Amino acid sequence: MTDAATAADLMVRPATELAAMVRAGEVSARELVEASLARIEALNPTYNAFLDVFPEEALAAADAVKPGDERPLAGVPTAIKNNRPILGKRWTFASSLFADFPAPMEWIGVERLRDAGAIIVGQTNLPEFGIVPTTESRRFGAARNPWDPERTPGGSSGGAAAAVAAGMIPIAHANDGGGSTRIPAACCGLVGLKTQRGRISSGPLTAWSFLGVDGVVSRTTRDTAVALDVLAGPMLGDVAWAAHPGHAFAAQMDQAPSGRKIAFTTLSPLADAPAGDGARAAVLEAAELLRELGHEVVEADPPWQLPGLEEMFGALWAPMLPGLEEMFGALWAPMISTQTAFGAMIAGREPTEEDIEPLSMALYRAARELDALTYAGVEMQLQTAGRAITQWIAQYDALLCPSLAEPPVPLGTISTTDADDPLSGFRRAAQFTPFTAV
């Protein structure tokens, strides 16, 4: 068994470095998995990053990985967020409605990670249905930030980020609709990429997703690039996918970019949720560094406070603004409602107050009152607004802005269980994370 000091050292190294060590015979895949399991056993009671751990299966899989294995993630321990299915494992969305439902299917990304040599050691924590940017479900409790256990590691991929930041695993699956990969990465000091829609298949669950896309949280951009090469590509039955760029994403890591035109802004998409002093200072510091690296850097504010745009994203992502009940439901509630309806189908009955949290119930009820035309109309408005922002950004190679408007909030700040005001958590979430949804 790997000793505690060695386990701690191994699990804070980049995933690609660990795979190279396995390839060279410097460490075995079993030793990496043992190190991960030891760290989980020691740290998970504090950080609550993992919901389930699979020690016997993980060790057996590790024993099949030998020195000389050329796969990009050979022997690397990882984990899957518990809103994607692993065949036969409980699939909960962090909701009591799902009980311990065993997944009857497996997300294509699980297969791709295994084919790349990665070893799945468990499943990570999330807020119920992945709704809010903190990881505090009524069913499983709060995941904690390894930098400050009294604060959130972010959400909804907060368990994944806490697991990587604490050194339980070097890389973890995450996914992102309005910031659920990028927010935890920012909270925990990690790399979090929301990929282009259609880049990574969500099959066999869905054939297309307007909001949610899968990816990873990691310690380095190289690890994220390698994982993107592993996960990218359509699955048979997908209705749309992003064309492959014609080269490996990891190959770009060896190319030093020069002469890029980069815009930066601290203008919040939500006028009543400005970026704090720390967020603004970080953007200015990053902009200056980019100038020193030889790029053209200009301050330019995107058109994301255009009339109607703030209301659309406010309705999508947080404050229940007067007169926008229909738009609120049309943009966000159907996604939550679909998951809730799936849980109700499994349970064989309508959800009750004991099954799901007050915020989830409010969204479910809102969606049940919507008609299809309202939903289709507001989604079209959102796509039109998104296209306008995309066309504005196209004049630059990149846009630099804050990830969060304020530091990671203390646990309990964003509530999903306030029965008297179930949408209060959404309103508070908007103040914390106004940038990522847009």
Side-chain angles (χ1 to χ4, degrees):
M1 172 62 83
T2 307
D3 64 59
T6 302
D9 174 67
L10 287 172
M11 288 299 104
V12 296
R13 297 192 183 196
T16 47
E17 180 181 325
L18 294 175
M21 292 171 67
V22 170
R23 194 171 302 120
E26 298 173 16
V27 67
S28 70
R30 172 173 270 269
E31 287 173 316
L32 292 185
V33 170
E34 286 178 342
S36 175
L37 294 174
R39 294 284 287 172
I40 293 168
E41 183 178 9
L43 298 176
N44 201 56
T46 298
Y47 300 120
N48 197 26
F50 278 85
L51 301 183
D52 295 306
V53 183
F54 316 132
E56 294 180 4
E57 294 174 34
L59 289 168
D63 286 340
V65 179
K66 305 300 181 184
D69 193 319
E70 292 295 330
R71 292 178 294 174
L73 296 175
V76 174
T78 190
I80 305 297
K81 183 178 173 182
N82 199 222
N83 64 352
R84 289 291 183 254
I86 303 175
L87 183 65
K89 304 301 183 183
R90 68 171 178 168
W91 188 19
T92 71
F93 294 88
S95 174
S96 298
L97 181 61
F98 281 79
D100 291 328
F101 174 63
M105 65 184 80
E106 191 160 87
W107 172 50
I108 184 66
V110 173
E111 177 184 341
R112 290 174 177 174
L113 286 167
R114 285 177 176 149
D115 287 347
I119 311 295
I120 296 170
V121 298
Q123 301 184 122
T124 56
N125 202 354
L126 70 156
E128 185 172 79
F129 299 124
I131 301 174
V132 290
T134 183
T135 300
E136 305 174 57
S137 72
R138 186 170 65 186
R139 179 174 183 184
F140 293 118
R144 295 177 179 271
N145 194 317
W147 296 97
D148 180 351
E150 298 307 310
R151 293 181 181 271
T152 183
S156 63
S157 304
V164 175
M168 297 186 224
I169 48 177
I171 191 168
H173 162 252
N175 44 36
D176 190 321
S180 288
T181 296
R182 294 160 290 152
I183 293 165
C187 287
C188 293
L190 302 173
V191 178
L193 172 69
K194 180 175 182 179
T195 62
Q196 183 176 353
R197 280 174 285 194
R199 176 69 66 202
I200 298 172
S201 176
S202 57
L205 289 172
T206 60
W208 167 253
S209 174
F210 176 65
L211 278 179
V213 299
D214 289 278
V216 297
V217 286
S218 78
R219 292 184 173 276
T220 70
T221 51
R222 185 177 296 277
D223 279 1
T224 291
V226 168
L228 183 54
D229 283 323
V230 167
L231 291 169
M235 179 183 181
L236 189 65
D238 288 353
V239 300
W241 53 87
H244 194 276
H247 58 262
F249 292 103
Q252 293 180 283
M253 299 306 303
D254 299 316
Q255 301 170 6
S258 62
R260 298 291 193 256
K261 185 176 183 181
I262 300 170
F264 75 91
T265 184
T266 59
L267 177 72
S268 173
L270 300 180
D272 63 347
D277 292 342
R280 291 196 298 272
V283 168
L284 295 176
E285 182 179 346
E288 183 57 33
L289 175 59
L290 288 165
R291 283 196 188 96
E292 292 173 3
L293 290 171
H295 303 294
E296 178 186 355
V297 181
V298 297
E299 184 172 10
D301 291 333
W304 52 30
Q305 282 193 3
L306 288 174
L309 183 61
E310 178 179 339
E311 285 77 5
M312 271 187 280
F313 278 112
L316 167 71
W317 203 217
M320 186 64 166
L321 302 173
L324 288 175
E325 287 83 356
E326 285 190 353
M327 188 174 288
F328 173 90
L331 287 175
W332 184 252
M335 189 170 80
I336 305 306
S337 179
T338 299
Q339 297 174 2
T340 306
F342 179 39
M345 180 182 70
I346 292 165
R349 55 177 170 75
E350 281 288 294
T352 67
E353 305 287 352
E354 288 71 37
D355 294 323
I356 61 176
E357 297 169 1
L359 175 57
S360 301
M361 182 63 81
L363 291 169
Y364 181 63
R365 287 171 174 163
R368 293 292 296 268
E369 296 173 2
L370 288 170
D371 60 76
L373 289 176
T374 301
Y375 173 75
V378 180
E379 183 177 297
M380 182 178 69
Q381 287 181 268
L382 183 60
Q383 290 173 344
T384 300
R387 189 180 298 274
I389 295 170
T390 301
Q391 290 174 341
W392 181 88
I393 291 175
Q395 63 188 302
Y396 305 102
D397 293 301
L399 172 65
L400 174 68
C401 72
S403 298
L404 311 172
E406 57 184 305
V409 296
L411 295 173
T413 301
I414 297 172
S415 174
T416 60
T417 58
D418 185 345
D420 295 328
D421 186 5
L423 295 170
S424 62
F426 255 19
R427 289 193 293 272
R428 184 61 183 88
Q431 305 302 308
F432 178 35
T433 60
F435 289 92
T436 53
V438 67

